[in-house]
Amino acid sequence: QVQLVESGGGLVQAGGSLRLSCAAPERTFMSNHMGWFRQAPGKGRELVAIITFGGGTTYYADSVKGRFTISRDNTANTVFLQMNSLKPEDTAVYYCATNPLIGRLRAGVGDYWGQGTQVTVSS
């Protein structure tokens, strides 16, 4: 059973920073694109960022562009989401997900999902 494990969430003041991590089994990490999604209370799941396993291409939602950075450490089989200049509207449960097809992942389809990590930004 493949299991993704997110960590790094917490409570921060507006304008602060957090770095989320998502660890995956080596085979899963090396063969899949990795994405971050989030879901706020009463809202649907929203794509935040994607990083591809080949070519280093990244994608960001307009709402986080310029503030968030997605990266990967292939040695550690871990994808990161560096979140700067956090806003109260960033408050959500953040999930990582994988898919070998970039189009599917951008559409919100993941083969595997983590359990989520809570990010709360106070005003």
Side-chain angles (χ1 to χ4, degrees):
Q1 177 68 29
V2 175
Q3 185 174 21
L4 308 180
V5 180
E6 303 101 332
S7 62
L11 192 155
V12 297
Q13 294 182 8
S17 298
L18 285 173
R19 189 177 77 157
L20 306 184
S21 301
C22 176
E26 180 179 359
R27 186 173 182 177
T28 298
F29 186 83
M30 294 179 64
S31 61
N32 284 274
H33 309 297
M34 303 290 296
W36 285 99
F37 297 79
R38 66 186 182 186
Q39 187 164 15
K43 302 294 183 180
R45 190 174 61 205
E46 175 189 20
L47 173 64
V48 176
I50 288 173
I51 187 166
T52 59
F53 61 74
T57 302
T58 58
Y59 168 86
Y60 297 95
D62 289 341
S63 59
V64 306
K65 197 172 299 181
R67 299 187 297 120
F68 291 9
T69 302
I70 189 170
S71 62
R72 69 165 68 210
D73 184 337
N74 291 337
T75 300
N77 300 319
T78 302
V79 63
F80 303 97
L81 185 68
Q82 178 66 46
M83 305 185 295
N84 299 325
S85 301
L86 283 163
K87 306 174 180 179
E89 50 263 45
D90 294 318
T91 295
V93 178
Y94 285 70
Y95 301 89
C96 62
T98 69
N99 200 301
L101 302 175
I102 188 66
R104 294 287 82 198
L105 190 57
R106 292 187 65 169
V109 179
D111 288 341
Y112 301 100
W113 294 85
Q115 83 289 344
T117 185
Q118 177 71 50
V119 172
T120 302
V121 184
S122 62
S123 60

